[in-house]
Amino acid sequence: MSQAADTTVVQADNAGDVPPYRYTAAMANEIEARWQDFWAENGTFHAPNPTGPLADPGHPRFGAEKLYVMDMFPYPSGSGLHVGHPLGYIGTDSYTRYKRMTGYNVLHPMGFDAFGLPAEQYAVQTGTHPRTTTEANVERYRAQLRRLGLAYDDRRSFSTTDPAFYRWTQWIFLQIFNSWYDPQARTARPIADLIAQFEAGTRQAPGGRPWAELTEVERRTLIDDHRLAYVAEAPVNWCPGLGTALADAEVTAEGRSERGNFPVFRRNLRQWMMRITAYGDRLLEDLDKLDWPDKVKTMQRNWIGRSVGAHVDFPFSGGDIRVFTTRPDTLFGATYMVLAPEHTAVDGIVPDAWPEGTRPAWTGGHATPAEAVADYRRFAAAKSDVERQADAKEKTGVFTGAYATNPVNGAQIPIFIADYVLAGYGTGAIMAVPAQDERDFEFAEVFDLPIVRTVQPPADFDGKAYTGEGPAINSADPESGLSLDGLGVADAKAKIIEWLEENGHGTGAVTYRLRDWLFSRQRYWGEPFPIVYDETGLPVALPESMLPVELPEVDDFSPRTFDPDDADTDPETPLSRVQEWVEVTLDLGDGPKKYWRETNTMPQWAGSSWYELRYLDPKNDKALVDPDNERYWMGPRDANDVGGVDLYVGGVEHAVLHLLYARFWHKVLFDLGYISSAEPFRQLFNQGYIQAYAYTDARGVYVPAEEVVETDGRYFWNDQEVRREYGKMGKSLKNVVTPDEMCEVYGADTFRVYEMSMGPLDVSRPWETRAVVGAQRFLQRAWRLVVDEQTGATRVVDDPTDAETRRLLHRVIAGVREDMDAMRFNTAIAKLIELTNRATTVSAVGASREVVEPLVLMMSPFAPHVAEELWHRLGHDETVAYVPFPQADPALLVAASVTYPVQVNGKVRGRIEVPADAPEEIVREAALAEVAGQLADKEPRKVIVVPGRMVSIVV
RNA sequence: GCGGGAGUGGCGGAAUGGCAGACGCGCCAGACUUAGGAUCUGGUGUCUUCGGACGUAGGGGUUCAAGUCCCCUCUCCCGCACCA
């Protein structure tokens, strides 16, 4: 047998003798367009605000309990949506439609993350302005989403590229720029407070010079160094061949650009940074208060990477080398030191010649330390990240020729450089304690370095490095009297830190893996910074009145490119070439002066870092959001609540960056008093992905998936066998199925029901076009309950339904409510199908209104168009959107009689039917009588009656 | 390597410790049909001597009762990956 394989789109309707009023795709399309118009014309899904232009005291939900549900907004790509994209949108749409019917004032908006690279690249290639491309793509997305019947409040939609939107992105940047973080108060504060502290002398400038003696430039530099947004030299992936810095993700493992395959150089460039590290602790702590998947919380915790330990200074002939360690308690076991090859101190410590008695194995075979170091640095720099990982087990390094002093016991310990120490973490230098650290142990084995245990391992410990708990040993210095011996790890840490601090050798310290956020890009299609530079070269914030700083028109959207191998080049941004825009004369308080605009633009993350706030008050041109509106939609519910969006749905791929940046900005705005919620997203839900099969021929070339035919478990395309693989849906894989095709062939409601019924929302699953027909059959049966397929007449009857169907109805109502509240849409739909099938079988002439009306209402979150149509045909004039969701009659949830399975020794041996209210004794007797034959002469040892469930007899 | 999650029919998936496989696809049979890739009805875990036996990755345990709880093993997926 042959059948069309999974992604084949077949024509579901047949031209033949289809009854004229059947619920076909054509019928669905007509109904859907009509109700979409109705909703748009009537503003059905407008959500009223407490105040401002979107307030509406006449709205049925004005002042009702609120629910704010948000989807991660899409980047409107040129290829449009495929069937996987709207999965989450349909989920939140179904959920919010349900919640609206249960009385909530629901806010469910949608916007577009419209700045981004693809439009710019397209612009570079074709000369089409990115705005043109972006707007066309947004329009296409809007049309696709509208066709799915998604109930957004269209007044609240925006693109991050709208000047009216990015005006506020720039405004937030100014707030951040004009703030500093006060670690004592654990809050962001206006930069004016800091200036006041310096002026008053309550805060000292570094070096102790009085504020009054500092020059204007010195003052500004000092202040700028405290700002939450600041300019700094930062290492970036500089790609001269492309003329731009690249994100890590855009660089291949071989250290070349993904696009163009040009060399990429790690280089320090002046960049805008965001001081997100100041918020490390709070970003970490507040995770505990969020209703987020543990997986995402764990990823953020790892990303922040907080470690507690100490900074310790190791003196050498030319000064100190500072290390960070989480195990200061093992200081007596530090038998050597390692610096990262790139560590800036290396050059200063290398002596002219190898010290007396240097082991040959330590020199790498070089005549002088300088040669050995230079050679090892070349070796380390040449390694790609992938090679580094692969080589992680084999430790390499070289002796620098220098020794440092272990401050606790005065021991002279050799200093190595090795690539297992990373320049970017901690201080880029470590004290090596081979007895208590696996990596150090491996290195010590290779270079034959001493290993001194300072924690007593258990008697049965046969390993190498011991990283567990135990009493300190070998940790005393008779000269200074310092001894940790006998102390547990925690106590030893506390004692040694105290000693280090008292003796000036170090201090307790906390470090983070989290780095400050590189915030500038050498691109055109992004938000311009609201920053100019004056003659000093220092940045000056533009006043709020000059916002938005709009993107100027340019002739060429691409940055200047260079010789791909010339690392010593500097980026030239597209905006820097618009001289008449860059050079401006402004009056910023000192009279008209010449200034130069910042020509970098913001990264794509900027708009998405705060958009949840703008939906609340999108028309407000006085503030980014009115406090009353923010408090109503996002404010904390009680003293322990951090507030935020009630439900945020999106893919787990944004687990770290987007969600961390958004939390950071939100906290700054919270600290500065603009909003009442301390977190942007109270609850996070990661939807699964819709995946698809793709097929390759013998050459490994993808063939159109929809033309592949399955025969007996093998796959063929044009009679040649092809290989099946499973993964993403994508143009290049030739396996894309679009929602538009689904709407055309089945209708939007069928598509929605199918996507919601195919499994729990958080589980990824394969797309199977073949299976969509199941959802269509369900809707057709439901339709047939109301509409006569031959005449189009409404055939529902007013007689009450039978008792059994009624009980089913109420069980379904109760079950669907439970499922909807828990977002178990697949099981809710299963129950609706069951009810529909039951109603179909018991209603030869016409289904009872008693059953059909609640069914239609319960269907409406999933299949809103056909539900509206049926509701209308049932004689109602209003939209179903605000009709109360059916409620179960508790009296009907208990059956009149109960069938108990009777188990004997765990096996079902019979069934009894007893009245639901039968006392346990009656159930027991009936059960024993039922299985009397099985029991024969054996005496039951135990009889367990689980009320309403079953009887279990043990013999 | 470390951390987390998951393994249930041919497929997607259901099952507060209480009758495993709801619901859907597919498949089989029937009805209506010139026709069926439409629709409707019924059936569909495996084996079976037709009594029943077996069955939730594999093995062990707790329990009257285990897909569910505990221990071990295997496989797959995800995250992190020399973070001091």
Side-chain angles (χ1 to χ4, degrees):
Chain A
M1 116 230 86
S2 286
Q3 64 199 20
D6 317 288
T7 52
T8 307
V9 177
V10 295
Q11 190 61 33
D13 298 335
N14 227 14
D17 56 347
V18 175
Y21 295 93
R22 171 160 294 170
Y23 182 71
T24 59
M27 179 77 85
N29 279 313
E30 185 274 321
I31 291 169
E32 285 163 10
R34 190 148 42 76
W35 283 100
Q36 283 157 16
D37 289 343
F38 175 92
W39 296 329
E41 281 160 20
N42 291 275
T44 304
F45 302 113
H46 290 182
N49 268 359
T51 185
L54 302 190
D56 177 7
H59 192 283
R61 293 292 185 270
F62 182 78
E65 196 179 337
K66 62 87 190 185
L67 183 77
Y68 183 11
V69 177
M70 237 179 99
D71 304 273
M72 290 186 187
F73 65 170
Y75 172 78
S77 82
S79 40
L81 295 169
H82 66 60
V83 290
H85 293 122
L87 179 69
Y89 306 160
I90 296 171
T92 51
D93 191 61
S94 301
Y95 182 68
T96 50
R97 283 176 181 269
Y98 162 74
K99 284 294 195 181
R100 189 179 291 111
M101 292 172 79
T102 62
Y104 284 91
N105 183 18
V106 169
L107 177 54
H108 187 217
M110 178 56 80
F112 299 93
D113 190 17
F115 278 122
L117 217 43
E120 183 175 305
Q121 285 169 353
Y122 187 74
V124 170
Q125 286 159 19
T126 65
T128 315
H129 197 287
R131 180 169 298 286
T132 309
T133 317
T134 302
E135 283 174 358
N137 290 346
V138 166
E139 276 325 297
R140 177 159 173 210
Y141 267 60
R142 280 190 202 284
Q144 286 186 302
L145 296 176
R146 178 188 150 102
R147 197 171 179 189
L148 295 177
L150 300 170
Y152 301 127
D153 183 341
D154 49 11
R155 303 168 305 172
R156 298 176 187 258
S157 189
F158 50 70
S159 298
T160 52
T161 49
D162 298 340
F165 179 88
Y166 72 68
R167 173 211 160 134
W168 293 104
T169 310
Q170 293 170 338
W171 181 87
I172 293 169
F173 178 88
L174 289 179
Q175 308 313 308
I176 297 172
F177 178 77
N178 285 320
S179 305
W180 61 292
Y181 195 78
D182 181 343
Q184 270 73 51
R186 286 172 58 92
T187 183
R189 297 174 61 182
I191 203 78
D193 292 2
L194 184 73
I195 296 171
Q197 288 184 8
F198 279 121
E199 283 173 347
T202 53
R203 178 178 287 266
Q204 289 292 309
R209 288 174 61 201
W211 177 259
E213 291 176 12
L214 298 181
T215 65
E216 179 63 19
V217 168
E218 282 172 332
R219 287 179 185 173
R220 281 173 59 186
T221 306
L222 176 60
I223 294 302
D224 286 353
D225 284 346
H226 286 80
R227 296 179 187 272
L228 286 178
Y230 62 99
V231 179
E233 293 275 325
V236 297
N237 303 303
W238 167 237
C239 180
L242 290 173
T244 182
L246 297 172
D248 289 341
E250 296 165 324
V251 181
T252 65
E254 287 74 39
R256 299 179 79 87
S257 64
E258 201 153 66
R259 200 160 45 88
N261 198 33
F262 293 113
V264 171
F265 301 93
R266 203 80 182 143
R267 253 202 68 182
N268 280 326
L269 290 174
R270 280 179 66 76
Q271 300 285 325
W272 278 96
M273 307 293 290
M274 289 266 172
R275 206 177 300 280
I276 190 172
T277 50
Y279 281 81
D281 275 332
R282 283 169 62 192
L283 290 170
L284 195 63
E285 284 164 20
D286 283 355
L287 282 175
D288 295 335
K289 299 178 187 163
L290 296 175
D291 182 4
W292 283 20
D294 286 337
K295 178 191 168 91
V296 176
K297 289 191 191 183
T298 304
M299 285 166 74
Q300 292 217 345
R301 284 193 191 104
N302 291 342
W303 187 263
I304 294 167
R306 182 179 196 267
S307 3
V308 181
H311 281 135
V312 183
D313 293 322
F314 284 68
F316 72 105
S317 57
D320 284 338
I321 294 173
R322 166 161 288 202
V323 304
F324 175 73
T325 176
T326 57
R327 293 295 302 274
D329 59 303
T330 64
L331 205 39
F332 282 92
T335 53
Y336 64 102
M337 290 182 76
V338 184
L339 307 188
E342 307 90 329
H343 196 288
T344 47
V346 172
D347 292 321
I349 64 171
V350 175
D352 294 336
W354 294 114
E356 203 59 28
T358 297
R359 298 183 207 172
W362 290 9
T363 65
H366 292 279
T368 65
E371 275 176 37
V373 164
D375 187 59
Y376 187 75
R377 281 180 156 176
R378 268 194 301 277
F379 162 80
K383 267 202 216 177
S384 70
D385 287 351
V386 171
E387 286 166 340
R388 251 193 195 210
Q389 279 172 35
D391 299 344
K393 269 164 252 146
E394 285 182 31
K395 293 284 178 288
T396 59
V398 71
F399 181 42
T400 59
Y403 285 83
T405 307
N406 186 334
V408 290
N409 56 11
Q412 290 299 297
I413 58 176
I415 305 172
F416 284 75
I417 58 171
D419 66 355
Y420 85 95
V421 172
L422 308 176
Y425 185 77
T427 61
I430 62 159
M431 62 178 216
V433 187
Q436 274 86 226
D437 184 286
E438 283 164 25
R439 298 151 300 181
D440 296 344
F441 192 99
E442 287 167 9
F443 190 85
E445 278 189 316
V446 173
F447 290 91
D448 195 21
L449 288 153
I451 296 165
V452 178
R453 287 213 185 277
T454 59
V455 178
Q456 180 68 58
D460 60 346
F461 181 74
D462 58 354
K464 297 175 170 180
Y466 177 67
T467 57
E469 182 61 45
I473 53 172
N474 300 325
S475 297
D477 179 48
E479 215 157 293
S480 65
L482 170 67
S483 173
L484 306 176
D485 286 344
L487 295 176
V489 171
D491 291 340
K493 279 183 186 173
K495 184 164 182 187
I496 189 71
I497 288 173
E498 197 181 321
W499 184 89
L500 287 169
E501 288 177 351
E502 277 173 7
N503 293 277
H505 293 305
T507 162
V510 176
T511 62
Y512 298 88
R513 207 186 75 109
L514 180 69
R515 311 276 83 172
D516 274 346
W517 174 14
L518 176 70
F519 194 72
S520 43
R521 298 289 185 273
Q522 297 75 50
R523 308 250 186 242
Y524 173 74
W525 194 226
E527 299 89 344
F529 283 73
I531 291 286
V532 293
Y533 296 89
D534 62 13
E535 69 288 349
T536 66
L538 294 174
V540 179
L542 290 173
E544 195 180 325
S545 61
M546 292 186 184
L547 301 185
V549 178
E550 291 204 47
L551 269 173
E553 296 304 315
V554 297
D555 299 326
D556 182 1
F557 302 104
S558 51
R560 180 177 166 200
T561 59
F562 301 91
D563 177 347
D565 295 307
D566 188 358
D568 291 325
T569 43
D570 283 309
E572 187 181 295
T573 60
L575 294 183
S576 67
R577 289 193 295 262
V578 193
Q579 203 176 351
E580 66 278 16
W581 180 80
V582 174
E583 293 180 18
V584 280
T585 300
L586 301 169
D587 185 350
L588 300 181
D590 300 329
K593 266 177 61 178
K594 196 168 176 187
Y595 295 93
W596 293 264
R597 290 190 190 272
E598 170 63 61
T599 65
N600 281 286
T601 54
M602 298 188 198
Q604 202 184 351
W605 306 109
S608 60
S609 293
W610 74 281
Y611 73 124
E612 74 280 359
L613 292 166
R614 194 56 181 171
Y615 285 135
L616 305 178
D617 214 354
K619 310 284 187 214
N620 193 333
D621 56 6
K622 302 283 182 293
L624 93 159
V625 57
D626 183 286
D628 286 339
N629 289 331
E630 191 272 336
R631 204 175 305 113
Y632 173 71
W633 290 111
M634 289 181 74
R637 294 164 176 165
D638 56 61
N640 296 318
D641 184 32
V642 288
V645 175
D646 294 296
L647 176 65
Y648 190 35
V649 175
V652 73
E653 71 270 21
H654 293 113
V656 178
L657 296 180
H658 158 57
L659 288 170
L660 206 58
Y661 297 152
R663 294 181 63 211
F664 165 49
W665 276 31
H666 205 92
K667 285 188 181 306
V668 176
L669 292 171
F670 172 78
D671 286 353
L672 298 177
Y674 293 112
I675 52 179
S676 69
S677 46
E679 283 281 340
F681 310 113
R682 176 189 284 111
Q683 187 188 352
L684 175 71
F685 185 96
N686 291 128
Q687 98 256 348
Y689 300 104
I690 289 183
Q691 301 191 286
Y693 295 107
Y695 303 86
T696 51
D697 64 16
R699 298 168 300 163
V701 173
Y702 287 98
V703 304
E706 61 175 324
E707 294 167 17
V708 171
V709 166
E710 180 191 347
T711 304
D712 298 329
R714 295 162 70 194
Y715 304 92
F716 296 90
W717 179 70
N718 285 351
D719 293 331
Q720 58 166 309
E721 184 158 8
V722 290
R723 205 170 56 83
R724 187 170 85 153
E725 53 188 58
Y726 178 60
K728 280 187 191 159
M729 212 173 251
K731 234 188 207 168
S732 60
L733 306 176
K734 295 193 181 161
N735 61 354
V736 171
V737 181
T738 66
D740 307 74
E741 294 171 71
M742 288 299 108
C743 288
E744 198 180 316
V745 180
Y746 295 98
D749 283 333
T750 293
F751 173 65
R752 291 171 56 115
V753 169
Y754 172 64
E755 289 224 339
M756 291 299 98
S757 68
M758 60 200 287
L761 196 59
D762 54 353
V763 173
S764 295
R765 73 264 354 223
W767 177 259
E768 195 182 6
T769 298
R770 259 193 328 189
V772 178
V773 70
Q776 188 180 40
R777 286 179 191 148
F778 160 51
L779 295 182
Q780 277 174 338
R781 278 198 289 275
W783 171 267
R784 206 176 295 121
L785 289 173
V786 179
V787 180
D788 187 303
E789 289 192 327
Q790 295 301 331
T791 66
T794 303
R795 59 193 283 268
V796 71
V797 298
D798 290 328
D799 306 333
T801 189
D802 62 289
E804 202 182 319
T805 307
R806 181 174 302 122
R807 271 199 302 276
L808 175 66
L809 168 67
H810 285 264
R811 274 207 310 280
V812 167
I813 292 172
V816 166
R817 274 182 169 263
E818 244 180 71
D819 288 344
M820 296 302 290
D821 282 321
M823 297 205 294
R824 291 190 301 255
F825 306 126
N826 54 327
T827 51
I829 290 172
K831 291 178 175 78
L832 295 176
I833 293 174
E834 242 179 300
L835 180 61
T836 304
N837 291 349
R838 168 75 193 180
T840 299
T841 41
V842 299
S843 57
V845 279
S848 169
R849 183 178 289 272
E850 181 190 348
V851 178
V852 171
E853 290 206 339
L855 173 64
V856 167
L857 292 174
M858 287 190 285
M859 281 168 57
S860 67
F862 302 113
H865 313 86
V866 70
E868 292 275 22
E869 182 69 15
L870 293 177
W871 190 245
H872 184 71
R873 285 169 183 256
L874 285 164
H876 302 280
D877 292 329
E878 81 282 17
T879 166
V880 293
Y882 294 88
V883 177
F885 203 81
Q887 274 184 302
D889 178 350
L892 291 167
L893 294 178
V894 287
S897 66
V898 183
T899 303
Y900 282 83
V902 182
Q903 289 185 351
V904 178
N905 287 344
K907 300 261 185 265
V908 178
R909 297 298 176 186
R911 284 168 209 289
I912 53 168
E913 175 135 349
V914 295
D917 55 357
E920 200 172 310
E921 196 48 41
I922 301 291
V923 177
R924 170 195 299 262
E925 292 310 318
L928 286 171
E930 169 68 19
V931 295
Q934 302 277 336
L935 296 175
D937 50 348
K938 282 169 276 183
E939 189 61 24
R941 275 201 294 128
K942 203 168 175 185
V943 179
I944 298 149
V945 178
V946 187
R949 283 290 184 181
M950 66 171 347
V951 182
S952 187
I953 298 167
V954 192
V955 295

